[in-house]
Amino acid sequence: MKENVLVLLGGQSSEHEVSLKSATTIISQMDTDKYEIYPVGITQEGHWLLYTGNNLDFTCNRWKEVGIPAILSPDATRKSLVVLKKEEPPVFIKIDKVFPVLHGKNGEDGTIQGICKLARIPFVGCGVVASAVSMDKAFTKIVVKEKGVPQADFVLVYEREMQDEAQVVAKVEGAFGYPYFIKPANAGSSVGISKAHNKEELIAGLKEALKHDVKVLVEETIIGREVETAVLGNGEVQVSGVGEILAAAEFYDFDAKYNNAESKTVVDARLDASVKEQIRSYAKDVFEAVEGKGISRVDFFVKEDGGIIFNEINTLPGFTSISMYPMLWRAAGLETKELVTKLLDLASL
């Protein structure tokens, strides 16, 4: 008997469009002999819509226009998707598993995971705490520090502090020198990130980051190669090889990642075997530190002297045509269809 899988896509975040690309890939690679697929798109306004059409390319189909209102019931006795047709009684579709293909806020931060937990429906990926901690770059750094994984120094700036810009500047400049990387604590896929070389750029960068969150991470600049590795599993986890980002811009921000054709990814970074092995070991440490499950991509910098610095963990990495997570597993011999099946097999509460 087939399992009914609810695939959630879109979402209320700045990564809405990226989610549509990821979901299109994942749905195309789901084994239709094993799974009955129920794609539900969430608009940027928060409207949930079940798509029942044949065109499963969510980057171009009309799901927002033709979708039927539907919600995931938090009622654990029903474990159902509730379809709300006009002038008809609600229809309850039993759901066996949820694949939340939602990047960024309101999807990768424990919110959707919490609904699944309430409904007692197994879901792909990290749980509520792991998702929330990993989404918050500041909390991630605090948790990972306990594992002894090297990372950049940082200062936190809160929105309320910006009433006194001079005091904020003094606080940051007193911690370490320019240039700084400025990041919203809770935002995905390099959104709202800037680099500051002086006081004016620092203030401008803080204001930009505060458009995305009320807490901002100001980090020392690490000069190094940007590398990534993929983690898969529950308990006993597998770690892929090490890939490298060759950003077209000064750093790998949202535009460089998704809109600049000059940005490249390499699935087998040219690094010493010992450095690669240490990166893979650190990736496992980070995943365990946040109590990860199922899926994550862990990012690092490699300095010229071979030193490794943890950058961040992404608990729902992209599945687009240029996304490193599925590319790394393909390079390791795990095709995307097998990967998607394995992730659904790992779905848990």
Side-chain angles (χ1 to χ4, degrees), residues 25-137:
T25 299
I26 287 169
I27 290 171
S28 73
Q29 297 300 310
M30 289 178 68
D31 187 344
T32 52
D33 291 332
K34 292 184 66 172
Y35 309 115
E36 196 69 47
I37 306 167
Y38 293 90
V40 170
I42 302 173
T43 70
Q44 287 170 314
E45 296 73 36
H47 194 195
W48 290 41
L49 298 166
L50 172 65
Y51 179 74
T52 57
N54 295 321
N55 180 0
L56 296 176
D57 184 344
F58 286 88
T59 65
C60 64
N61 65 20
R62 297 170 53 242
W63 67 271
K64 294 179 184 178
E65 300 169 38
V66 302
I68 305 165
I71 57 172
L72 178 61
S73 170
D75 187 334
T77 67
R78 288 194 178 273
K79 296 181 171 59
S80 297
L81 180 70
V82 186
V83 183
L84 306 168
K85 295 184 178 181
K86 284 184 179 180
E87 300 177 0
E88 292 184 28
V91 175
F92 293 84
I93 301 172
K94 184 180 181 297
I95 298 298
D96 298 298
K97 291 177 180 177
V98 177
F99 201 138
V101 191
L102 299 168
H103 307 310
K105 286 186 178 181
N106 303 308
E108 198 172 345
D109 55 3
T111 48
I112 290 294
Q113 293 77 8
I115 294 174
C116 294
K117 290 275 283 188
L118 284 172
R120 303 298 296 168
I121 301 174
F123 55 94
V124 172
C126 293
V128 175
V129 173
S131 298
V133 166
S134 300
M135 186 68 186
D136 189 305
K137 295 177 178 68

Side-chain angles (χ1 to χ4, degrees), residues 66-229:
V66 302
I68 305 165
I71 57 172
L72 178 61
S73 170
D75 187 334
T77 67
R78 288 194 178 273
K79 296 181 171 59
S80 297
L81 180 70
V82 186
V83 183
L84 306 168
K85 295 184 178 181
K86 284 184 179 180
E87 300 177 0
E88 292 184 28
V91 175
F92 293 84
I93 301 172
K94 184 180 181 297
I95 298 298
D96 298 298
K97 291 177 180 177
V98 177
F99 201 138
V101 191
L102 299 168
H103 307 310
K105 286 186 178 181
N106 303 308
E108 198 172 345
D109 55 3
T111 48
I112 290 294
Q113 293 77 8
I115 294 174
C116 294
K117 290 275 283 188
L118 284 172
R120 303 298 296 168
I121 301 174
F123 55 94
V124 172
C126 293
V128 175
V129 173
S131 298
V133 166
S134 300
M135 186 68 186
D136 189 305
K137 295 177 178 68
F139 284 134
T140 304
K141 291 176 80 71
I142 293 166
V143 171
V144 168
K145 185 178 180 180
E146 295 302 310
K147 280 282 188 176
V149 178
Q151 54 189 324
D153 286 338
F154 69 99
V155 172
L156 292 178
V157 175
Y158 293 87
E159 185 177 47
R160 62 180 181 270
E161 294 180 273
M162 288 299 289
Q163 295 175 11
D164 189 341
E165 293 179 1
Q167 185 174 346
V168 169
V169 169
K171 170 181 168 180
V172 175
E173 291 181 339
F176 37 83
Y178 288 99
Y180 307 131
F181 272 109
I182 305 165
K183 307 175 181 179
N186 283 279
S189 201
S190 309
V191 172
I193 294 180
S194 63
K195 189 174 183 179
H197 302 82
N198 52 53
K199 182 172 72 173
E200 291 71 25
E201 290 181 356
L202 171 60
I203 293 171
L206 288 169
K207 289 179 178 178
E208 177 60 31
L210 287 167
K211 293 177 183 177
H212 302 276
D213 192 26
V214 297
K215 181 171 61 176
V216 176
L217 189 72
V218 181
E219 288 183 313
E220 66 168 328
T221 295
I222 302 296
I223 306 298
R225 297 160 65 180
E226 295 186 55
V227 299
E228 302 180 346
T229 191

